Amino acid sequence: MAKILAVYGSTHGQTEAIVERLGKALGWFGHEVRIWRGENLPPDYSLEEFDAFVLAGSVHFGHHQRYLRDLARRHVARLNHAPSAFVSVCGALAGTWPKAESEARKYLEQFIEETGWAPSTSRSMAGAIKYTRYRWPVRMIMRVVSARTGRPTDTSRDWDFTDWEGVDRFGAELADRFAGSAAALEAPPRA
C-alpha cells in the first residue's frame, strides 16, 4: 500500500475536517496517511518519502490559500511525477445559484493553472458557512452573498453543506487509484 501525504489549507476548519475524513477512508484500505496543515509544515519536510499526494484548500474571496499555491509550485515536479489529487472546498456549491458548478470549477482550474501542477484527479466539494466564526464585517458580507446565491442567511448558526458520504466515496476512489503507486514509482520507466 501507499504512503500518502495530505496537505491542506483551512480557514475555518471545514477543509481540515474533509481531509481528516479522506485520511480515515484511505486508512480503511490499508494506506499509511500523514496529514499536514499547509501553513505549519515541519521545517525539515521532504516529499520524497511519499508515494502519493492529496492537496486540499478552501476558496475564500476567490482564491485558495497562498501557502498551498506556493507549496504546489515549489514541488510541482514531484507532484506531477506521483499520483495526486487536488480538493477544492468551495462555498459556491451550496445553495441554489445556477452558476455554482461553473464558479467552483473556475477556482479549481485557476489553482491548477497558477501552479503548473497536473493532479491525477481533482474534485470540488461544498464546504460550510460558519457564520458564528466570522468577524462581524465578514458575517455581513457572507450574508449578502448568501442571499444572492440561494444560501441560508440565518447568521445565528453555522451551515454544513459537505456531502460526507461523497467524501467517503472519493476516499475509496483515491485508495484504489493510489494502491499501486508505491510499486509504480519504484519500477523503471517503460520504453
Side-chain angles (χ1 to χ4, degrees), residues 145-167:
V145 169
S146 292
R148 289 184 188 157
T149 57
R151 292 180 277 183
T153 58
D154 177 358
T155 62
S156 68
R157 58 169 284 209
D158 296 336
W159 300 86
D160 185 342
F161 303 104
T162 302
D163 173 3
W164 293 104
E165 290 177 7
V167 173

mmCIF file of all heavy atoms in Angstrom, residues 145-167:
data_model
loop_
_atom_site.group_PDB
_atom_site.id
_atom_site.type_symbol
_atom_site.label_atom_id
_atom_site.label_comp_id
_atom_site.label_asym_id
_atom_site.label_seq_id
_atom_site.Cartn_x
_atom_site.Cartn_y
_atom_site.Cartn_z
ATOM 1 N N VAL A 145 -23.879 37.836 0.235
ATOM 2 C CA VAL A 145 -23.513 36.892 -0.829
ATOM 3 C C VAL A 145 -24.447 35.683 -0.785
ATOM 4 O O VAL A 145 -24.916 35.204 -1.822
ATOM 5 C CB VAL A 145 -22.038 36.456 -0.694
ATOM 6 C CG1 VAL A 145 -21.712 35.293 -1.615
ATOM 7 C CG2 VAL A 145 -21.103 37.630 -0.955
ATOM 8 N N SER A 146 -24.732 35.196 0.399
ATOM 9 C CA SER A 146 -25.621 34.037 0.551
ATOM 10 C C SER A 146 -27.022 34.344 0.042
ATOM 11 O O SER A 146 -27.648 33.505 -0.623
ATOM 12 C CB SER A 146 -25.680 33.594 2.012
ATOM 13 O OG SER A 146 -24.437 33.062 2.418
ATOM 14 N N ALA A 147 -27.517 35.518 0.318
ATOM 15 C CA ALA A 147 -28.853 35.903 -0.158
ATOM 16 C C ALA A 147 -28.902 35.911 -1.686
ATOM 17 O O ALA A 147 -29.889 35.471 -2.284
ATOM 18 C CB ALA A 147 -29.241 37.271 0.401
ATOM 19 N N ARG A 148 -27.829 36.354 -2.311
ATOM 20 C CA ARG A 148 -27.777 36.415 -3.776
ATOM 21 C C ARG A 148 -27.648 35.039 -4.428
ATOM 22 O O ARG A 148 -27.989 34.866 -5.592
ATOM 23 C CB ARG A 148 -26.597 37.264 -4.227
ATOM 24 C CG ARG A 148 -26.769 38.720 -3.967
ATOM 25 C CD ARG A 148 -25.602 39.483 -4.541
ATOM 26 N NE ARG A 148 -25.658 40.870 -4.127
ATOM 27 C CZ ARG A 148 -24.624 41.661 -4.083
ATOM 28 N NH1 ARG A 148 -23.438 41.228 -4.452
ATOM 29 N NH2 ARG A 148 -24.758 42.901 -3.693
ATOM 30 N N THR A 149 -27.084 34.083 -3.683
ATOM 31 C CA THR A 149 -26.772 32.776 -4.280
ATOM 32 C C THR A 149 -27.643 31.640 -3.740
ATOM 33 O O THR A 149 -27.340 30.468 -3.980
ATOM 34 C CB THR A 149 -25.281 32.425 -4.069
ATOM 35 O OG1 THR A 149 -24.986 32.448 -2.666
ATOM 36 C CG2 THR A 149 -24.384 33.404 -4.800
ATOM 37 N N GLY A 150 -28.692 31.976 -3.023
ATOM 38 C CA GLY A 150 -29.635 30.964 -2.566
ATOM 39 C C GLY A 150 -29.165 30.143 -1.371
ATOM 40 O O GLY A 150 -29.632 29.036 -1.152
ATOM 41 N N ARG A 151 -28.254 30.701 -0.592
ATOM 42 C CA ARG A 151 -27.782 30.009 0.616
ATOM 43 C C ARG A 151 -28.464 30.605 1.845
ATOM 44 O O ARG A 151 -28.997 31.715 1.792
ATOM 45 C CB ARG A 151 -26.261 30.133 0.739
ATOM 46 C CG ARG A 151 -25.540 29.361 -0.345
ATOM 47 C CD ARG A 151 -24.046 29.487 -0.206
ATOM 48 N NE ARG A 151 -23.633 30.740 -0.839
ATOM 49 C CZ ARG A 151 -22.376 31.134 -0.951
ATOM 50 N NH1 ARG A 151 -21.406 30.393 -0.469
ATOM 51 N NH2 ARG A 151 -22.087 32.271 -1.539
ATOM 52 N N PRO A 152 -28.433 29.887 2.954
ATOM 53 C CA PRO A 152 -29.076 30.379 4.178
ATOM 54 C C PRO A 152 -28.463 31.694 4.658
ATOM 55 O O PRO A 152 -27.248 31.898 4.552
ATOM 56 C CB PRO A 152 -28.827 29.268 5.195
ATOM 57 C CG PRO A 152 -28.498 28.060 4.392
ATOM 58 C CD PRO A 152 -27.866 28.550 3.129
ATOM 59 N N THR A 153 -29.304 32.549 5.210
ATOM 60 C CA THR A 153 -28.849 33.849 5.708
ATOM 61 C C THR A 153 -28.993 33.993 7.221
ATOM 62 O O THR A 153 -28.712 35.055 7.762
ATOM 63 C CB THR A 153 -29.622 34.976 5.009
ATOM 64 O OG1 THR A 153 -31.026 34.792 5.236
ATOM 65 C CG2 THR A 153 -29.334 35.014 3.520
ATOM 66 N N ASP A 154 -29.405 32.943 7.894
ATOM 67 C CA ASP A 154 -29.517 32.973 9.352
ATOM 68 C C ASP A 154 -28.108 32.924 9.939
ATOM 69 O O ASP A 154 -27.440 31.889 9.924
ATOM 70 C CB ASP A 154 -30.338 31.774 9.840
ATOM 71 C CG ASP A 154 -30.438 31.699 11.352
ATOM 72 O OD1 ASP A 154 -29.838 32.552 12.065
ATOM 73 O OD2 ASP A 154 -31.090 30.763 11.850
ATOM 74 N N THR A 155 -27.635 34.066 10.451
ATOM 75 C CA THR A 155 -26.264 34.173 10.952
ATOM 76 C C THR A 155 -26.102 33.695 12.389
ATOM 77 O O THR A 155 -25.007 33.747 12.934
ATOM 78 C CB THR A 155 -25.762 35.624 10.844
ATOM 79 O OG1 THR A 155 -26.589 36.465 11.670
ATOM 80 C CG2 THR A 155 -25.778 36.106 9.403
ATOM 81 N N SER A 156 -27.162 33.207 12.995
ATOM 82 C CA SER A 156 -27.078 32.752 14.387
ATOM 83 C C SER A 156 -26.509 31.338 14.503
ATOM 84 O O SER A 156 -26.292 30.851 15.597
ATOM 85 C CB SER A 156 -28.454 32.807 15.050
ATOM 86 O OG SER A 156 -29.315 31.829 14.476
ATOM 87 N N ARG A 157 -26.274 30.700 13.348
ATOM 88 C CA ARG A 157 -25.753 29.325 13.371
ATOM 89 C C ARG A 157 -24.850 29.090 12.167
ATOM 90 O O ARG A 157 -24.781 29.908 11.257
ATOM 91 C CB ARG A 157 -26.891 28.311 13.375
ATOM 92 C CG ARG A 157 -27.826 28.433 12.180
ATOM 93 C CD ARG A 157 -28.768 27.276 12.067
ATOM 94 N NE ARG A 157 -28.055 26.132 11.547
ATOM 95 C CZ ARG A 157 -28.591 25.175 10.829
ATOM 96 N NH1 ARG A 157 -29.867 25.198 10.565
ATOM 97 N NH2 ARG A 157 -27.880 24.162 10.397
ATOM 98 N N ASP A 158 -24.164 27.953 12.177
ATOM 99 C CA ASP A 158 -23.318 27.543 11.056
ATOM 100 C C ASP A 158 -24.090 26.580 10.172
ATOM 101 O O ASP A 158 -25.016 25.912 10.627
ATOM 102 C CB ASP A 158 -22.047 26.859 11.578
ATOM 103 C CG ASP A 158 -21.180 27.808 12.395
ATOM 104 O OD1 ASP A 158 -21.278 29.030 12.199
ATOM 105 O OD2 ASP A 158 -20.405 27.308 13.234
ATOM 106 N N TRP A 159 -23.683 26.509 8.893
ATOM 107 C CA TRP A 159 -24.357 25.666 7.903
ATOM 108 C C TRP A 159 -23.330 24.770 7.230
ATOM 109 O O TRP A 159 -22.376 25.255 6.636
ATOM 110 C CB TRP A 159 -25.065 26.533 6.862
ATOM 111 C CG TRP A 159 -26.096 27.429 7.465
ATOM 112 C CD1 TRP A 159 -25.903 28.670 8.008
ATOM 113 C CD2 TRP A 159 -27.472 27.138 7.613
ATOM 114 N NE1 TRP A 159 -27.084 29.166 8.476
ATOM 115 C CE2 TRP A 159 -28.073 28.241 8.242
ATOM 116 C CE3 TRP A 159 -28.262 26.053 7.259
ATOM 117 C CZ2 TRP A 159 -29.424 28.293 8.544
ATOM 118 C CZ3 TRP A 159 -29.615 26.106 7.544
ATOM 119 C CH2 TRP A 159 -30.183 27.213 8.181
ATOM 120 N N ASP A 160 -23.511 23.458 7.329
ATOM 121 C CA ASP A 160 -22.602 22.472 6.744
ATOM 122 C C ASP A 160 -23.238 21.920 5.470
ATOM 123 O O ASP A 160 -24.306 21.322 5.514
ATOM 124 C CB ASP A 160 -22.350 21.348 7.749
ATOM 125 C CG ASP A 160 -21.317 20.341 7.286
ATOM 126 O OD1 ASP A 160 -21.012 20.284 6.076
ATOM 127 O OD2 ASP A 160 -20.807 19.594 8.140
ATOM 128 N N PHE A 161 -22.573 22.104 4.325
ATOM 129 C CA PHE A 161 -23.089 21.640 3.043
ATOM 130 C C PHE A 161 -22.287 20.474 2.461
ATOM 131 O O PHE A 161 -22.568 20.010 1.371
ATOM 132 C CB PHE A 161 -23.090 22.790 2.026
ATOM 133 C CG PHE A 161 -23.891 23.967 2.492
ATOM 134 C CD1 PHE A 161 -23.254 25.101 2.976
ATOM 135 C CD2 PHE A 161 -25.271 23.933 2.480
ATOM 136 C CE1 PHE A 161 -23.991 26.185 3.415
ATOM 137 C CE2 PHE A 161 -26.018 25.008 2.914
ATOM 138 C CZ PHE A 161 -25.374 26.136 3.389
ATOM 139 N N THR A 162 -21.274 20.028 3.174
ATOM 140 C CA THR A 162 -20.413 18.961 2.667
ATOM 141 C C THR A 162 -21.186 17.653 2.578
ATOM 142 O O THR A 162 -21.881 17.268 3.515
ATOM 143 C CB THR A 162 -19.179 18.786 3.574
ATOM 144 O OG1 THR A 162 -18.471 20.031 3.625
ATOM 145 C CG2 THR A 162 -18.261 17.694 3.052
ATOM 146 N N ASP A 163 -21.045 16.985 1.464
ATOM 147 C CA ASP A 163 -21.624 15.652 1.258
ATOM 148 C C ASP A 163 -20.627 14.647 1.836
ATOM 149 O O ASP A 163 -19.695 14.214 1.157
ATOM 150 C CB ASP A 163 -21.849 15.416 -0.234
ATOM 151 C CG ASP A 163 -22.290 13.998 -0.564
ATOM 152 O OD1 ASP A 163 -22.495 13.178 0.371
ATOM 153 O OD2 ASP A 163 -22.393 13.694 -1.768
ATOM 154 N N TRP A 164 -20.809 14.269 3.092
ATOM 155 C CA TRP A 164 -19.836 13.425 3.787
ATOM 156 C C TRP A 164 -19.779 12.029 3.187
ATOM 157 O O TRP A 164 -18.706 11.417 3.142
ATOM 158 C CB TRP A 164 -20.119 13.406 5.290
ATOM 159 C CG TRP A 164 -19.867 14.768 5.871
ATOM 160 C CD1 TRP A 164 -20.799 15.690 6.244
ATOM 161 C CD2 TRP A 164 -18.590 15.389 6.053
ATOM 162 N NE1 TRP A 164 -20.167 16.837 6.674
ATOM 163 C CE2 TRP A 164 -18.819 16.682 6.567
ATOM 164 C CE3 TRP A 164 -17.274 14.968 5.838
ATOM 165 C CZ2 TRP A 164 -17.779 17.559 6.875
ATOM 166 C CZ3 TRP A 164 -16.229 15.854 6.145
ATOM 167 C CH2 TRP A 164 -16.499 17.128 6.655
ATOM 168 N N GLU A 165 -20.888 11.513 2.696
ATOM 169 C CA GLU A 165 -20.852 10.218 2.004
ATOM 170 C C GLU A 165 -20.058 10.346 0.705
ATOM 171 O O GLU A 165 -19.330 9.426 0.319
ATOM 172 C CB GLU A 165 -22.262 9.703 1.734
ATOM 173 C CG GLU A 165 -22.986 9.268 2.991
ATOM 174 C CD GLU A 165 -24.411 8.816 2.725
ATOM 175 O OE1 GLU A 165 -24.816 8.717 1.541
ATOM 176 O OE2 GLU A 165 -25.128 8.570 3.710
ATOM 177 N N GLY A 166 -20.165 11.488 0.042
ATOM 178 C CA GLY A 166 -19.376 11.749 -1.152
ATOM 179 C C GLY A 166 -17.888 11.826 -0.838
ATOM 180 O O GLY A 166 -17.047 11.375 -1.627
ATOM 181 N N VAL A 167 -17.548 12.382 0.324
ATOM 182 C CA VAL A 167 -16.146 12.409 0.760
ATOM 183 C C VAL A 167 -15.644 10.983 0.943
ATOM 184 O O VAL A 167 -14.547 10.636 0.491
ATOM 185 C CB VAL A 167 -15.987 13.234 2.061
ATOM 186 C CG1 VAL A 167 -14.565 13.131 2.606
ATOM 187 C CG2 VAL A 167 -16.366 14.699 1.830
#
